[in-house]
Amino acid sequence: MPSYEEDYSAVFVHAGAGYHSKPNEPVHLRACGDACKAAMVLLKNGGSAADAVEMAVRVLEDAEITNSGYGSNLSLDGTVECDAVIMEGGGLSGAVGALCHVQNPICLARAVLENARQPMSLKRVPPILLVGEGATMFAKEQNFPLVDNEKLISPAARQRWERWRTELRYSQPSGSVMSPTEVKIQDGPGEPEEDIVTDTVGAICIDRWGRIAAGSSSGGIGMKHRGRVGPAALVGVGTWVRVGEDGLVVGATTSGTGEHMNNTLIASKCVDRLMGSEDDLQALKDCIELDFLGAPVVKTATTAGALGVLAVKLERSGAKYKRAHFLYGHTTDSMALASMVSWQNEPDLIMSRNKRTPKVALGGKVIPFRARK
Amino acid sequence: MPSYEEDYSAVFVHAGAGYHSKPNEPVHLRACGDACKAAMVLLKNGGSAADAVEMAVRVLEDAEITNSGYGSNLSLDGTVECDAVIMEGGGLSGAVGALCHVQNPICLARAVLENARQPMSLKRVPPILLVGEGATMFAKEQNFPLVDNEKLISPAARQRWERWRTELRYSQPSGSVMSPTEVKIQDGPGEPEEDIVTDTVGAICIDRWGRIAAGSSSGGIGMKHRGRVGPAALVGVGTWVRVGEDGLVVGATTSGTGEHMNNTLIASKCVDRLMGSEDDLQALKDCIELDFLGAPVVKTATTAGALGVLAVKLERSGAKYKRAHFLYGHTTDSMALASMVSWQNEPDLIMSRNKRTPKVALGGKVIPFRARK
């Protein structure tokens, strides 16, 4: 059994902001829980924060119900194109965008990150963001097996695509409960039985050395244009980690209306606010309401902006003791989350639900623990 | 002749930070001057800030000497893959990354931006960043002529590529004066006669209504991996514009070691600093020295970080009067810049040169003028 000294690591994950139907709630939460447990095995065996993020996101990608990896939304022409990013507290990142033919995009993002540590000939700087065909070439060079497009398509994803295609053909833009981007359910009798989860899974992990890493992965918006890169590939937008004064470390990973998140650099804004905040939940609320919903580019857009944020703030008091603040907030109907610290046998599962009137749901907790050294 | 009321617009451009050889200095500056003059024609005829940015960057792309559009660096396998972005003060942007077969990437970025204003069926959000094959598909849909890879390669770019290929083959990583990323010249007798300009052209424009837009374009680092996306495609990294309190507007466009700039979100940091600064040159210096050179991810990197920044701060005193602060700074040996305001017949051309000891060169001026309304 690990000593208290080693008993230090933590995993936080989310499986997207959107509308999670009641019948499917256990499936979403099981995916989150599985991601925590798999990542925790690595952390307990001395794995790094980046190892754990890669594992947690990988489990979520493999879960059929999430819009990432297997089961991703299809683009307009029926292709699965994925985005993924991983970033360490030190500031190094690796990312892939509009990636085809790779089973686990987060693993390729990790390979990009590891490759970026190596010096190159001719003093070239190694790439940290690879996209499209070039990203597939890199996967091949790294001996990743390339898979057929069909192998990444789940039956449910194909069904959604076929329905949307019919609707596009018959020009019924608002006829369906289930638009590719609609994440607030309508007021009215009954509740849709189908999920409307539009974006991005993510994880933030802390290892026994107090290091932090964060990552995200997404199949992107349904019926998207080929080549569209979303927040899950972009540092500062979908994922951001920063080390501040006094060893304070803050990480954030986001989900929601990608283009609005990109134009507002929302993950970096969230980290900036939490870095200086006394009241973390208020800071998160300000980020969602002012930096995102209040941004001119979101306010004047023809489409409403949806956002979900998972954030972790790691605090050092002196050299040895630390506290982690686990925070989340979303404007969508629901957001599926889980957390697990190393002295827990089972993860805490959270399906955070908002009221029907659009507002910001917030939650979180403070986890005190002690660093190994 | 335009009245004083209309006499309001301004163009600021740069043609990359790096080392500009003395013999080539006039060619670099002519490209900058031509970009200013072409953009100013649009502005004087009622064009928008975005129109002017597109035109200025387009002229720089067409200039053979710049690493953008025609004349771009080649990737390892001999392909031209370009990045470009354009962003408006309102916060909307359009960008393309790892783009092949398009003569003027900035024009396609502009088309992405204009497309992003249009609502889509099924409440989908239009893309603001398109990459690779999907970006080429979009170009075709927008009736852009697709050109052969060979048509984008200048004789000088091919020569560089052939030399680097030979050096890679014979494993002489540091044998050449002209590495694809080396932007500080070595101390020693004489000066290289060849340019070492590694990255990105950019423009910031103000139209007669006091609106601002910014953009950049780049062929990326020489011998890059296919699919590598750099700062010139990324909002917050290569280009950022923000409207603050009291109608204060700040824009920045950057050039330099792309991956380090990406991991530090450097354009957004620069705008944040200038937004609240009393001493703009000091703020720019702090951005370069603290946010960039001082960032842990840059300090611990195996390759040195180079950075050039062009920034504009537009200030409203009351409703009618304005001042524009034109600012630039770079860590590289040199940076080619130009500025032109609507009452000038000729642009001001600046080849800013640094001392050989690594330090930050800074410059700028304040331009007072009056808004139309």
Side-chain angles (χ1 to χ4, degrees):
Chain A
M1 193 171 163
S3 76
Y4 186 72
E5 227 72 11
E6 284 173 350
D7 206 7
Y8 179 68
S9 44
V11 184
F12 308 92
V13 309
H14 78 86
Y19 168 74
H20 302 79
S21 72
K22 284 278 160 62
N24 274 336
E25 182 171 314
V27 191
H28 289 287
L29 291 178
R30 195 185 315 133
C32 291
D34 289 349
C36 284
K37 282 190 272 186
M40 188 51 74
V41 170
L42 289 186
L43 289 171
K44 285 199 171 177
N45 284 285
S48 71
D51 291 335
V53 165
E54 181 185 351
M55 177 56 85
V57 173
R58 185 181 175 161
V59 170
L60 290 166
E61 284 175 346
D62 287 342
E64 186 174 340
I65 201 160
T66 64
N67 176 24
S68 62
Y70 175 69
S72 283
N73 281 325
L74 312 190
S75 66
L76 196 55
D77 69 358
T79 311
V80 171
E81 284 195 342
C82 292
D83 299 330
V85 66
I86 186 164
M87 186 170 195
E88 293 180 331
L92 197 62
S93 66
V96 290
L99 171 69
C100 296
H101 305 303
V102 172
Q103 186 90 29
N104 288 103
I106 193 70
C107 299
L108 193 62
R110 178 72 194 279
V112 172
L113 185 149
E114 292 307 322
N115 182 66
R117 291 191 216 280
Q118 310 303 323
M120 288 179 86
S121 56
L122 294 183
K123 295 180 193 162
R124 283 171 300 164
V125 181
I128 57 167
L129 170 56
L130 289 174
V131 301
E133 207 186 324
T136 308
M137 284 166 65
F138 181 77
K140 221 169 155 180
E141 290 153 22
Q142 298 280 316
N143 296 317
F144 277 64
L146 300 188
V147 299
D148 285 344
N149 187 52
E150 296 302 312
K151 275 200 68 176
L152 299 171
I153 303 176
S154 70
R158 177 168 300 283
Q159 225 174 46
R160 285 198 299 273
W161 179 75
E162 279 167 359
R163 181 151 19 125
W164 287 327
R165 200 174 49 157
T166 308
E167 286 178 7
L168 282 174
R169 199 172 290 152
Y170 293 100
S171 299
Q172 299 173 334
S174 56
S176 165
V177 184
M178 193 180 166
S179 140
T181 58
E182 185 66 359
V183 284
K184 284 200 199 81
I185 54 168
Q186 305 301 313
D187 284 322
E191 287 180 348
E193 286 195 2
E194 207 165 10
D195 297 329
I196 313 173
V197 183
T198 59
D199 214 54
T200 311
V201 303
I204 304 176
C205 295
I206 301 168
D207 64 27
R208 58 171 71 177
W209 297 275
R211 294 175 303 192
I212 195 170
S216 47
S217 178
S218 178
I221 178 178
M223 311 308 271
K224 68 183 174 184
H225 195 285
R226 286 287 303 279
R228 180 260 189 186
V229 172
L234 301 170
V235 291
V237 180
T239 293
W240 191 242
V241 189
R242 200 156 76 84
V243 178
E245 308 292 319
D246 307 322
L248 191 68
V249 177
V250 182
T253 176
T254 58
S255 168
T257 314
E259 277 64 19
H260 298 342
M261 291 156 65
N262 195 351
N263 280 330
T264 52
L265 291 182
I266 199 64
S268 86
K269 294 291 168 223
C270 177
V271 169
D272 285 351
R273 284 208 183 254
L274 287 172
M275 197 55 96
S277 67
E278 301 271 308
D279 180 345
D280 293 335
L281 283 182
Q282 184 61 45
L284 190 55
K285 192 163 183 270
D286 288 347
C287 170
I288 296 172
E289 289 183 345
L290 306 179
D291 299 334
F292 184 72
L293 296 174
V297 69
V298 177
K299 277 199 287 189
T300 60
T302 55
T303 45
L307 180 66
V309 180
L310 162 64
V312 172
K313 182 170 172 177
L314 186 61
E315 211 182 320
R316 241 175 267 257
S317 315
K320 254 193 155 183
Y321 292 85
K322 297 194 179 170
R323 281 191 304 184
H325 304 246
F326 161 42
L327 304 150
Y328 57 88
H330 54 99
T331 65
T332 55
D333 181 83
S334 51
M335 185 169 183
L337 300 125
S339 73
M340 189 174 185
V341 290
S342 40
W343 55 87
Q344 287 182 310
N345 288 322
E346 288 294 325
D348 290 335
L349 308 178
I350 302 157
M351 181 60 78
S352 172
R353 291 198 180 270
N354 221 329
K355 294 291 169 218
R356 278 171 182 252
T357 329
K359 67 167 204 174
V360 179
L362 295 163
K365 63 182 169 187
V366 177
I367 305 158
F369 48 9
R370 194 152 75 129
R372 197 180 190 190
K373 51 179 177 183
Chain B
M1 194 172 162
S3 75
Y4 185 72
E5 226 74 10
E6 284 172 350
D7 207 8
Y8 179 68
S9 45
V11 184
F12 309 91
V13 308
H14 78 85
Y19 169 73
H20 302 78
S21 72
K22 283 278 161 59
N24 273 337
E25 183 171 311
V27 191
H28 289 286
L29 292 179
R30 195 185 313 133
C32 291
D34 289 350
C36 284
K37 284 191 271 186
M40 187 51 74
V41 170
L42 288 186
L43 289 172
K44 285 200 171 178
N45 285 284
S48 72
D51 291 335
V53 165
E54 181 185 350
M55 176 57 83
V57 173
R58 185 181 174 162
V59 169
L60 290 165
E61 284 175 347
D62 287 342
E64 186 174 340
I65 201 160
T66 64
N67 177 23
S68 62
Y70 175 70
S72 283
N73 282 325
L74 311 191
S75 67
L76 196 55
D77 69 358
T79 311
V80 171
E81 282 195 343
C82 292
D83 299 330
V85 66
I86 185 164
M87 186 170 195
E88 293 180 331
L92 197 62
S93 66
V96 290
L99 171 69
C100 296
H101 304 305
V102 172
Q103 186 91 30
N104 288 103
I106 193 69
C107 299
L108 193 62
R110 178 72 195 277
V112 172
L113 185 150
E114 292 306 323
N115 182 66
R117 292 191 214 280
Q118 310 303 323
M120 288 178 87
S121 55
L122 294 182
K123 294 180 194 162
R124 282 172 300 163
V125 181
I128 57 167
L129 170 54
L130 289 174
V131 300
E133 207 187 325
T136 308
M137 285 167 64
F138 180 76
K140 222 169 155 181
E141 290 154 22
Q142 298 281 315
N143 296 316
F144 277 64
L146 300 187
V147 300
D148 284 346
N149 187 50
E150 295 301 311
K151 275 201 65 176
L152 298 171
I153 303 177
S154 70
R158 177 167 301 283
Q159 224 174 46
R160 287 197 299 272
W161 179 76
E162 278 167 359
R163 180 149 20 124
W164 287 328
R165 199 173 51 157
T166 307
E167 287 179 7
L168 281 174
R169 198 173 290 151
Y170 291 100
S171 298
Q172 298 173 336
S174 56
S176 165
V177 185
M178 192 179 167
S179 140
T181 59
E182 186 67 357
V183 284
K184 283 200 202 82
I185 55 170
Q186 305 300 314
D187 283 321
E191 287 180 349
E193 285 194 3
E194 208 165 10
D195 297 330
I196 311 172
V197 183
T198 59
D199 213 55
T200 310
V201 303
I204 304 177
C205 296
I206 301 168
D207 63 26
R208 59 171 70 176
W209 296 275
R211 295 175 304 193
I212 195 170
S216 47
S217 178
S218 178
I221 178 178
M223 311 308 271
K224 68 183 174 184
H225 196 286
R226 286 288 301 278
R228 180 260 189 184
V229 172
L234 301 170
V235 291
V237 180
T239 294
W240 190 242
V241 190
R242 200 156 76 85
V243 178
E245 308 291 318
D246 307 322
L248 192 67
V249 177
V250 182
T253 176
T254 58
S255 168
T257 315
E259 277 64 19
H260 298 342
M261 291 156 65
N262 195 352
N263 278 330
T264 52
L265 290 183
I266 199 62
S268 87
K269 295 291 170 222
C270 176
V271 168
D272 285 351
R273 283 208 183 256
L274 286 172
M275 196 56 95
S277 66
E278 301 271 308
D279 181 343
D280 293 334
L281 283 181
Q282 184 61 46
L284 190 56
K285 192 162 183 272
D286 288 347
C287 170
I288 295 171
E289 289 182 346
L290 306 179
D291 298 334
F292 184 71
L293 296 174
V297 69
V298 177
K299 278 199 287 191
T300 60
T302 54
T303 45
L307 180 64
V309 181
L310 161 65
V312 172
K313 183 171 172 177
L314 187 61
E315 212 181 317
R316 239 177 269 256
S317 315
K320 255 192 154 184
Y321 292 85
K322 297 191 180 174
R323 281 192 305 185
H325 305 246
F326 161 42
L327 304 150
Y328 57 87
H330 55 100
T331 67
T332 55
D333 180 83
S334 50
M335 186 170 183
L337 300 126
S339 73
M340 189 174 184
V341 289
S342 39
W343 56 86
Q344 288 182 309
N345 288 322
E346 289 295 324
D348 291 335
L349 308 178
I350 303 158
M351 181 61 80
S352 173
R353 290 198 180 270
N354 219 332
K355 295 289 167 221
R356 277 171 183 255
T357 329
K359 68 168 203 175
V360 179
L362 295 165
K365 63 182 170 188
V366 177
I367 305 158
F369 48 10
R370 194 151 75 132
R372 196 183 190 188
K373 51 180 179 181

